[in-house]
Amino acid sequence: MKVLVINSGSSSLKYRLIEMDNESVLAKGVADRIGIGNSSLKHSGKKDAVIEKDMADHSQAIKLVLSALTNPEYGVISSVSEIAAVGHRVVAGGEQFTQSALIGDKEMREFRDLVELAPLHMPACLTGIEACMEVMPDIPHVAVFDTSFHSTMPEVAKLYGIDYGDYKSLKIRRYGAHGISHQFISQEAAKIMGRKNFNLIVCHLGNGASLSAVKDGKCVETTMGFTPLEGLIMGTRCGDIDPTVVQFLCNKKGWDVNRAISYLNKECGVKGISGVSSDFRDLIAAENEGNERARLAIDMFAYKVKKYIGSYAAVMNGVDMIVFTAGIGEHTPEVREKVLSGMEYLGIEFDNDANYNAKGDIIKLSKDTSKVGVYVIPTNEELVIARETVAVVSAK
Ligand code: ADP
């Protein structure tokens, strides 16, 4: 059974075609600069290909993706009918979507009501789904939510200290994000531990970054909140901040609230602190050249991760495993060193030699005598989306 996984951004559409019989990736790629000119499709299938063609909207993009997938030279299927189902990544599932769902008219209406929960991401996501459903009307489409994994958080973790009536009527609460990645890592960690009962901390450290506390496979805490702005300091997002700062910024700079929130989302984080870049490759290079603000930005990033690890160990009454994943978590040993040094009190015996030198997909960062296992595990969100899609379609 072949499943097409789609991840739509405002001007991009990433795809991956997976043969679920053996979970192998048949083809993948990205359509870039949709609707903004100079658009192109980078495809990797039987062969790699770059197709430079104008794509005015997501509908044209998905048509180009399907023609690449069926191209005799670099495609991997002879007809679109070989695709059994399409799985879509959906950023916000609100309170109602605690599980992946088959998409019909009712679901599309409910998704539109969720746009205000993720105004930066949901519109693009819905545009992508609509385009795919229009181009592939006879194939089942499934929504897999970035929030579902966090729906098991208890009230003490998911509620804010605001009027309870406002939570009930306006649904103002913590939803979390990156749930698809946290779910994948939890399943992989359970395999390594070989048991179902465990306390796990997942550190998904990418441009957007979040931690989750996972007890016996279920999420009990996560750092992102009502939106992905809460929690860690990120590439360009400020993370936890006193909301009064918004009012102060508006008063001092003559901004409205939207401008202030856009600033906190796009102009802050390690980019704002360092004045160098939001990208950790640039930050590490600048730190190595003696740039003090780049060092400060990396230190602040790592400090916040360390702080949350400590609090999550407290919440779960200890931790058995900590996993690092996503761009920074998988590829930046300098950050892992800053986070994991000086955590002996938790029972972590950190192997910094393995941190810098061990090779392989899964890397063990803790010594064999360490009470807490610490690992790098590459995330695979597309595989989770494909597996969920198969589960939903099979249960139909
Ligand atoms: P997102 O998916 O949220 O855009 P990623 O998980 O791709 O983010 O992570 C991007 C971050 O990972 C950047 O800060 C980048 O510098 C860092 N990174 C460091 N080394 C690598 C690498 N070899 N490949 C990809 N990202 C890397």
Side-chain angles (χ1 to χ4, degrees):
M1 173 174 183
K2 295 179 180 63
V3 172
L4 180 62
V5 175
I6 298 284
N7 186 353
S8 301
S10 56
S11 63
S12 71
L13 187 147
K14 291 188 196 139
Y15 62 96
R16 195 169 281 203
L17 185 67
I18 302 179
E19 173 53 77
M20 292 308 288
D21 296 346
N22 55 9
E23 297 193 332
S24 64
V25 177
L26 302 175
K28 60 181 179 178
V30 56
D32 248 330
R33 299 184 59 86
I34 301 167
I36 52 177
N38 290 329
S39 40
S40 67
L41 178 75
K42 288 191 192 72
H43 170 86
S44 167
K46 219 184 314 170
K47 279 187 190 169
D48 289 353
V50 178
I51 304 133
E52 275 165 17
K53 189 160 185 236
D54 226 37
M55 290 173 260
D57 54 30
H58 284 70
S59 180
Q60 291 187 2
I62 187 66
K63 281 181 189 149
L64 201 59
V65 168
L66 295 178
S67 89
L69 288 172
T70 50
N71 183 287
E73 198 188 330
Y74 45 80
V76 289
I77 48 176
S78 50
S79 151
V80 173
S81 63
E82 286 183 46
I83 300 171
V86 184
H88 297 269
R89 177 191 204 141
V90 178
V91 182
E95 289 227 292
Q96 58 270 54
F97 291 104
T98 57
Q99 286 181 350
S100 306
L102 193 66
I103 311 174
D105 291 344
K106 175 174 158 285
E107 286 74 19
M108 280 311 284
R109 277 195 303 278
E110 291 180 355
F111 295 168
R112 283 191 198 99
D113 291 339
L114 295 172
V115 166
E116 57 187 7
L117 289 182
L120 293 178
H121 298 103
M122 271 305 262
C125 178
L126 297 188
T127 307
I129 294 175
E130 274 165 352
C132 290
M133 290 181 77
E134 176 198 315
V135 176
M136 294 175 277
D138 302 324
I139 299 175
H141 292 256
V142 172
V144 182
F145 303 93
D146 256 320
T147 47
S148 295
F149 184 66
H150 305 303
S151 65
T152 49
M153 277 195 290
E155 280 199 320
V156 286
K158 76 182 186 195
L159 295 199
Y160 289 116
I162 60 167
D163 186 297
Y164 192 81
D166 286 336
Y167 153 58
K168 277 298 190 193
S169 61
L170 299 172
K171 310 285 182 223
I172 301 171
R173 47 157 281 199
R174 308 181 60 248
Y175 292 99
H178 291 146
I180 297 169
S181 174
H182 288 282
Q183 178 178 339
F184 178 78
I185 297 298
S186 302
Q187 288 162 351
E188 295 302 298
K191 280 188 216 158
I192 293 175
M193 284 185 269
R195 60 182 202 263
K196 289 188 171 150
N197 300 104
F198 54 78
N199 292 346
L200 166 74
I201 298 174
V202 182
C203 308
H204 176 108
L205 309 179
N207 226 336
S210 64
L211 258 63
S212 66
V214 182
K215 200 168 184 61
D216 306 337
K218 290 201 164 57
C219 177
V220 293
E221 249 295 7
T222 194
T223 53
M224 286 178 165
F226 186 62
T227 75
L229 186 54
E230 188 178 330
L232 303 173
I233 294 170
M234 303 173 223
T236 59
R237 294 182 203 138
C238 63
D240 299 328
I241 201 162
D242 182 336
T244 313
V245 171
V246 173
Q247 180 194 39
F248 195 78
L249 276 168
C250 291
N251 289 342
K252 289 286 176 189
K253 298 207 184 207
W255 289 349
D256 65 7
V257 172
N258 291 335
R259 175 68 185 92
I261 296 296
S262 165
Y263 163 85
L264 295 175
N265 265 302
K266 296 180 182 163
E267 298 170 47
C268 295
V270 291
K271 180 181 179 206
I273 297 157
S274 67
V276 172
S277 169
S278 61
D279 192 298
F280 270 72
R281 286 165 284 202
D282 301 336
L283 292 173
I284 299 287
E287 182 187 29
N288 290 339
E289 283 164 12
N291 185 314
E292 279 302 308
R293 273 174 56 191
R295 183 192 52 73
L296 176 63
I298 300 166
D299 283 351
M300 286 175 69
F301 179 86
Y303 173 82
K304 208 60 179 287
V305 176
K306 187 192 278 269
K307 191 166 134 174
Y308 270 113
I309 288 176
S311 69
Y312 285 1
V315 160
M316 293 190 290
N317 190 16
V319 55
D320 301 306
M321 190 185 276
I322 300 173
V323 179
F324 286 77
T325 195
I328 302 159
E330 291 168 34
H331 301 290
T332 314
E334 295 85 350
V335 168
R336 298 193 301 244
E337 180 181 4
K338 287 185 189 206
V339 173
L340 292 166
S341 306
M343 295 196 95
E344 295 78 15
Y345 79 98
L346 261 188
I348 297 173
E349 289 181 59
F350 171 50
D351 183 348
N352 205 19
D353 184 37
N355 180 40
Y356 279 94
N357 301 316
K359 299 267 177 284
D361 277 350
I362 296 182
I363 300 173
K364 190 174 172 200
L365 301 174
S366 49
K367 296 185 178 150
D368 289 342
T369 47
S370 181
K371 196 164 120 325
V372 181
V374 186
Y375 287 82
V376 173
I377 302 179
T379 195
N380 192 340
E381 291 160 292
E382 292 80 6
L383 187 55
V384 173
I385 297 171
R387 284 176 182 166
E388 288 282 312
T389 301
V390 171
V392 169
V393 170
S394 311
K396 205 168 44 139

mmCIF file of all heavy atoms in Angstrom, residues 205-208 278-281 326-328 331-332, ligand 1:
data_model
loop_
_atom_site.group_PDB
_atom_site.id
_atom_site.type_symbol
_atom_site.label_atom_id
_atom_site.label_comp_id
_atom_site.label_asym_id
_atom_site.label_seq_id
_atom_site.Cartn_x
_atom_site.Cartn_y
_atom_site.Cartn_z
ATOM 1 N N LEU A 205 14.675 19.680 19.009
ATOM 2 C CA LEU A 205 15.358 20.973 18.892
ATOM 3 C C LEU A 205 15.630 21.287 17.421
ATOM 4 O O LEU A 205 16.623 20.837 16.845
ATOM 5 C CB LEU A 205 16.679 20.948 19.686
ATOM 6 C CG LEU A 205 16.578 20.478 21.145
ATOM 7 C CD1 LEU A 205 17.949 20.486 21.808
ATOM 8 C CD2 LEU A 205 15.583 21.332 21.934
ATOM 9 N N GLY A 206 14.722 22.014 16.814
ATOM 10 C CA GLY A 206 14.901 22.485 15.437
ATOM 11 C C GLY A 206 14.760 23.989 15.463
ATOM 12 O O GLY A 206 14.915 24.618 16.502
ATOM 13 N N ASN A 207 14.450 24.550 14.309
ATOM 14 C CA ASN A 207 14.175 25.980 14.241
ATOM 15 C C ASN A 207 13.087 26.352 15.231
ATOM 16 O O ASN A 207 13.200 27.301 15.995
ATOM 17 C CB ASN A 207 13.699 26.278 12.829
ATOM 18 C CG ASN A 207 14.377 27.480 12.302
ATOM 19 O OD1 ASN A 207 14.837 28.332 13.061
ATOM 20 N ND2 ASN A 207 14.449 27.565 10.997
ATOM 21 N N GLY A 208 12.007 25.569 15.173
ATOM 22 C CA GLY A 208 11.025 25.581 16.254
ATOM 23 C C GLY A 208 11.486 24.492 17.213
ATOM 24 O O GLY A 208 11.948 23.449 16.756
ATOM 25 N N SER A 278 19.460 32.923 12.843
ATOM 26 C CA SER A 278 18.617 31.987 13.583
ATOM 27 C C SER A 278 19.161 30.567 13.434
ATOM 28 O O SER A 278 18.686 29.643 14.074
ATOM 29 C CB SER A 278 17.186 32.046 13.047
ATOM 30 O OG SER A 278 17.182 31.675 11.679
ATOM 31 N N ASP A 279 20.134 30.403 12.558
ATOM 32 C CA ASP A 279 20.640 29.078 12.203
ATOM 33 C C ASP A 279 21.835 28.710 13.079
ATOM 34 O O ASP A 279 22.807 29.469 13.160
ATOM 35 C CB ASP A 279 21.044 29.078 10.721
ATOM 36 C CG ASP A 279 21.289 27.677 10.215
ATOM 37 O OD1 ASP A 279 22.208 27.006 10.737
ATOM 38 O OD2 ASP A 279 20.565 27.247 9.298
ATOM 39 N N PHE A 280 21.741 27.537 13.722
ATOM 40 C CA PHE A 280 22.794 27.158 14.668
ATOM 41 C C PHE A 280 24.144 26.907 14.004
ATOM 42 O O PHE A 280 25.180 27.015 14.659
ATOM 43 C CB PHE A 280 22.355 25.961 15.528
ATOM 44 C CG PHE A 280 21.658 26.415 16.778
ATOM 45 C CD1 PHE A 280 20.376 26.946 16.719
ATOM 46 C CD2 PHE A 280 22.299 26.369 18.008
ATOM 47 C CE1 PHE A 280 19.735 27.409 17.862
ATOM 48 C CE2 PHE A 280 21.668 26.831 19.158
ATOM 49 C CZ PHE A 280 20.393 27.347 19.093
ATOM 50 N N ARG A 281 24.139 26.571 12.710
ATOM 51 C CA ARG A 281 25.442 26.407 12.037
ATOM 52 C C ARG A 281 26.178 27.745 12.018
ATOM 53 O O ARG A 281 27.374 27.813 12.294
ATOM 54 C CB ARG A 281 25.251 25.867 10.619
ATOM 55 C CG ARG A 281 24.888 24.398 10.608
ATOM 56 C CD ARG A 281 24.366 23.946 9.284
ATOM 57 N NE ARG A 281 22.983 24.402 9.087
ATOM 58 C CZ ARG A 281 22.113 23.846 8.257
ATOM 59 N NH1 ARG A 281 22.492 22.834 7.507
ATOM 60 N NH2 ARG A 281 20.892 24.289 8.135
ATOM 61 N N ALA A 326 15.672 16.265 15.849
ATOM 62 C CA ALA A 326 15.506 17.421 14.936
ATOM 63 C C ALA A 326 16.867 18.075 14.659
ATOM 64 O O ALA A 326 17.881 17.682 15.255
ATOM 65 C CB ALA A 326 14.498 18.421 15.459
ATOM 66 N N GLY A 327 16.878 19.056 13.756
ATOM 67 C CA GLY A 327 18.123 19.631 13.214
ATOM 68 C C GLY A 327 19.217 19.864 14.245
ATOM 69 O O GLY A 327 20.333 19.342 14.122
ATOM 70 N N ILE A 328 18.912 20.628 15.284
ATOM 71 C CA ILE A 328 19.932 20.945 16.298
ATOM 72 C C ILE A 328 20.187 19.727 17.194
ATOM 73 O O ILE A 328 21.338 19.390 17.487
ATOM 74 C CB ILE A 328 19.469 22.155 17.149
ATOM 75 C CG1 ILE A 328 19.222 23.372 16.262
ATOM 76 C CG2 ILE A 328 20.469 22.470 18.246
ATOM 77 C CD1 ILE A 328 18.319 24.426 16.885
ATOM 78 N N HIS A 331 22.284 17.245 15.124
ATOM 79 C CA HIS A 331 23.530 17.627 14.454
ATOM 80 C C HIS A 331 24.416 18.613 15.194
ATOM 81 O O HIS A 331 25.438 19.019 14.656
ATOM 82 C CB HIS A 331 23.202 18.242 13.080
ATOM 83 C CG HIS A 331 22.444 17.331 12.180
ATOM 84 N ND1 HIS A 331 23.001 16.218 11.607
ATOM 85 C CD2 HIS A 331 21.160 17.358 11.763
ATOM 86 C CE1 HIS A 331 22.093 15.601 10.870
ATOM 87 N NE2 HIS A 331 20.966 16.274 10.951
ATOM 88 N N THR A 332 24.019 19.033 16.383
ATOM 89 C CA THR A 332 24.814 20.081 17.039
ATOM 90 C C THR A 332 25.317 19.620 18.406
ATOM 91 O O THR A 332 24.688 19.891 19.445
ATOM 92 C CB THR A 332 23.982 21.388 17.145
ATOM 93 O OG1 THR A 332 23.346 21.618 15.878
ATOM 94 C CG2 THR A 332 24.858 22.580 17.466
HETATM 95 P P1 ADP B 1 12.629 23.146 11.276
HETATM 96 O O1 ADP B 1 12.118 21.844 10.700
HETATM 97 O O2 ADP B 1 11.907 23.591 12.510
HETATM 98 O O3 ADP B 1 12.812 24.231 10.269
HETATM 99 P P2 ADP B 1 15.144 21.711 11.622
HETATM 100 O O4 ADP B 1 14.757 20.517 12.436
HETATM 101 O O5 ADP B 1 15.432 21.512 10.182
HETATM 102 O O6 ADP B 1 14.096 22.886 11.838
HETATM 103 O O7 ADP B 1 16.435 22.369 12.345
HETATM 104 C C1 ADP B 1 17.078 23.480 11.834
HETATM 105 C C2 ADP B 1 18.235 23.813 12.765
HETATM 106 O O8 ADP B 1 19.135 22.688 12.842
HETATM 107 C C3 ADP B 1 19.052 25.003 12.299
HETATM 108 O O9 ADP B 1 19.343 25.840 13.395
HETATM 109 C C4 ADP B 1 20.331 24.359 11.787
HETATM 110 O O10 ADP B 1 21.432 25.174 11.966
HETATM 111 C C5 ADP B 1 20.465 23.155 12.683
HETATM 112 N N1 ADP B 1 21.412 22.189 12.072
HETATM 113 C C6 ADP B 1 22.689 22.015 12.438
HETATM 114 N N2 ADP B 1 23.302 21.098 11.685
HETATM 115 C C7 ADP B 1 22.432 20.705 10.773
HETATM 116 C C8 ADP B 1 22.487 19.768 9.686
HETATM 117 N N3 ADP B 1 23.586 19.066 9.399
HETATM 118 N N4 ADP B 1 21.370 19.613 8.980
HETATM 119 C C9 ADP B 1 20.252 20.311 9.268
HETATM 120 N N5 ADP B 1 20.139 21.194 10.280
HETATM 121 C C10 ADP B 1 21.211 21.396 11.026
#
